[in-house]
Amino acid sequence: MRFTFRQIESFPGVTQADWQSWAWQFRNGLSTHEQFGRYFRLTESESEAFKRNPGFQIRSTPYYAMLASRDDVKDPVRRMIVPTALELRRDGQQVSDPLGERKHSPTERIVHRYPDRVLFLVTDQCSLYCRYCLRKHFTGQDQAFVGSKDYEKALAYIRAAPGVREVILSGGDPLTLGDGRIERVLSDLRAIEHVEIIRVGSRMPVVCPMRITDDLVAIFKKHKPVYFMTHFNHPAELSADAALALEKLVDKGVPVYNQMVLLNGINNHAAIVQALSRRLLYLRVKPYYMFQCDPSEGSEHFRTPVEESLQIQRELWGRLSGLAMPNLSLDIPGGGGKVGMVPDFETSNTVEARSYEGWDGVKGVYSAPEGASALPADLDTYLEEWNQIVQQPYGRG
Ligand SMILES: *Cc1c(COP(=O)(O)O)cnc(C)c1O
Ligand code: SF4
């Protein structure tokens, strides 16, 4: 919404209509040293990163660059897009495919790690490259939209796997694709009977909110249920434009969830997570995950210790609405999948009773009940019936 002096100064001749057009934002992305130099007073360390090529694409939308500070190198938004010489480090735990996705890929572009859901990497492109990206081995390699042969193979894989109830469109950022392609992917997936849920993972509300148009939202609504997973890391990213984009989605009935990543010096503090989560909840976005940063190449300086994350979570527990509380999780390096973490409130346990000390120090005991389990022996028959009505709009006739 804001059309600032800095925007006009950096892009002479830009109109309000240009600025609000996602095609313009994509076309005018900044990627070279010289382009970044026009927006930012670059430090030596930042300039060195441009000269020595950190091995991962550099790119930002003009919109996102304008959220960052021109002079302050500690600015959280700036640190997520402007590379520094720290990315050239190769010490510590750094691996090219930290989640072991290659070995869980039964066919190109599909990652199948959990029984009932798969990732479908429809493109490797993003409108902006986050310096800590976990999928650097794939993202931004210029493969763009999946080729038609791989696309058909990926669909065939999902079709032949009736246990897959959910498909998560990821990448890259699926919304770098045009509406026509998105419509096609969603209709192809909806044609598969056992696919119940489609998730779209996209950073567009954060980095290019203009991409969330009425036409796009109508496509999601047409193919419901489509869940939208976005990725805000800091309250400074929640601009008026971002709020409008999120409102468009939720007003049309598209549920929006947020997955954040804890990043050193950017958001690794309880007060920052709290401010972000409260604002998201107010905008009707459910904070879903709070991830440890994965050890991808060039990300060592972004990672934070698990102890600190547990401390942040403990500080927020009880003080932050349960609706706004993200689940703390990490991916086991090498492909072990996600592990969830919750504060340990238990002080002792026996079969008869478990003792707890709550978030503000109040203690209590929960005793095991007297008596045996009362579940019916023919439970399986009911379960089968309930599982069959999942896709009927109004449940049992
Ligand atoms: C994270 C992830 C999912 C989704 O997991 P949820 O806990 O359901 O959000 C699915 N597949 C892969 C490979 C993942 O890494
Ligand atoms: S939007 Fe996601 S895939 Fe793209 S660079 Fe950022 S973290 Fe990586």
Side-chain angles (χ1 to χ4, degrees):
M1 272 292 133
R2 291 165 307 157
F3 199 54
T4 65
F5 180 67
R6 203 173 143 211
Q7 287 163 12
I8 299 164
E9 202 188 22
S10 307
F11 279 98
V14 62
T15 66
Q16 182 74 263
D18 285 340
W19 190 261
Q20 291 299 336
S21 139
W22 63 272
W24 185 91
Q25 290 283 340
F26 281 18
R27 262 200 318 276
N28 290 280
L30 31 163
S31 55
T32 65
H33 190 180
E34 191 266 329
Q35 285 165 333
F36 271 84
R38 251 187 278 151
Y39 276 80
F40 298 102
R41 200 154 299 146
L42 295 174
T43 63
E44 220 163 275
S45 166
E46 289 168 334
S47 286
E48 191 190 342
F50 279 98
K51 287 184 195 133
R52 287 179 52 198
N53 178 11
F56 180 58
Q57 280 216 31
I58 301 168
R59 192 175 174 83
S60 175
T61 54
Y63 162 83
Y64 195 77
M66 283 302 159
L67 294 180
S69 164
R70 166 173 288 185
D71 299 310
D72 182 7
V73 285
K74 294 202 279 307
D75 177 71
V77 174
R78 174 171 173 148
R79 290 202 51 221
M80 286 188 260
I81 45 168
V82 184
T84 65
L86 290 171
E87 268 182 50
L88 306 163
R89 281 169 57 179
R90 282 297 174 267
D91 57 336
Q93 182 183 26
Q94 301 193 44
V95 281
S96 115
D97 175 15
L99 272 49
E101 292 185 332
R102 283 204 196 96
K103 71 179 174 216
H104 290 112
S105 179
T107 179
E108 283 293 309
R109 305 291 184 132
I110 295 284
V111 183
H112 195 176
R113 182 65 188 85
Y114 303 101
D116 67 339
R117 51 212 193 275
V118 295
L119 302 186
F120 186 2
L121 311 180
V122 287
T123 175
D124 71 332
Q125 303 264 299
C126 295
S127 62
L128 167 155
Y129 292 102
C130 313
R131 302 322 303 162
Y132 54 85
C133 179
L134 66 96
R135 208 169 279 139
K136 285 179 181 169
H137 63 98
F138 172 80
T139 309
Q141 306 291 324
D142 274 319
Q143 305 164 78
F145 186 56
V146 47
S148 56
K149 224 161 130 203
D150 286 343
Y151 180 75
E152 289 307 327
K153 274 207 233 160
L155 282 182
Y157 179 83
I158 298 167
R159 234 178 259 126
V164 171
R165 294 168 184 277
E166 188 169 328
V167 177
I168 303 167
L169 299 184
S170 185
D173 192 321
L175 297 188
T176 51
L177 304 174
D179 290 1
R181 283 214 160 116
I182 290 163
E183 162 81 57
R184 164 144 179 244
V185 176
L186 295 183
S187 345
D188 286 345
L189 290 173
R190 273 283 162 249
I192 303 174
E193 206 185 327
H194 55 267
V195 173
E196 292 161 4
I197 304 290
I198 299 172
R199 280 196 223 180
V200 177
S202 170
R203 245 200 135 199
M204 288 299 171
V206 190
V207 301
C208 187
M210 312 68 191
R211 179 66 190 95
I212 312 302
T213 60
D214 293 333
D215 287 349
L216 178 71
V217 177
I219 294 171
F220 292 155
K221 190 174 178 189
K222 180 175 161 201
H223 296 288
K224 71 185 177 185
V226 173
Y227 281 70
F228 196 101
M229 320 301 289
T230 192
H231 176 178
F232 287 90
N233 285 323
H234 195 280
E237 296 174 323
L238 281 159
S239 70
D241 294 280
L244 273 170
L246 295 170
E247 183 166 75
K248 265 190 194 163
L249 288 162
V250 287
D251 274 356
K252 284 278 154 41
V254 180
V256 185
Y257 287 77
N258 189 65
Q259 313 192 146
M260 65 175 290
V261 179
L262 286 163
L263 298 167
N264 191 15
I266 292 174
N267 61 8
N268 56 328
H269 191 286
I272 300 176
V273 178
Q274 184 178 39
L276 172 68
S277 299
R278 287 178 60 204
R279 178 69 181 148
L280 284 169
L281 189 67
Y282 186 78
L283 296 170
R284 290 173 289 170
V285 175
K286 166 79 186 97
Y288 176 45
Y289 271 130
M290 173 162 72
F291 285 119
Q292 283 298 124
C293 181
D294 295 305
S296 64
E297 283 167 343
S299 300
E300 189 69 12
H301 57 296
F302 284 120
R303 296 202 296 115
T304 61
V306 174
E307 288 68 34
E308 184 184 85
S309 314
L310 290 167
Q311 191 53 41
I312 290 173
Q313 186 193 43
R314 201 170 241 289
E315 267 177 58
L316 294 178
W317 207 276
R319 290 176 185 85
L320 178 64
S321 160
L323 281 177
M325 189 74 191
N327 302 314
L328 177 60
S329 178
L330 68 77
D331 268 280
I332 304 173
K338 293 181 181 70
V339 282
M341 288 168 268
V342 287
D344 186 8
F345 294 117
E346 201 172 77
T347 51
S348 74
N349 72 68
T350 62
V351 177
E352 294 79 34
R354 289 172 177 264
S355 307
Y356 299 95
E357 181 175 337
W359 65 277
D360 59 352
V362 178
K363 293 180 185 157
V365 175
Y366 188 86
S367 301
E370 302 291 340
S373 166
L375 279 173
D378 58 347
L379 183 65
D380 284 352
T381 10
Y382 296 110
L383 284 176
E384 207 165 296
E385 186 189 340
W386 295 331
N387 276 321
Q388 270 162 10
I389 62 166
V390 168
Q391 297 207 49
Q392 290 168 22
Y394 301 103
R396 284 199 283 191

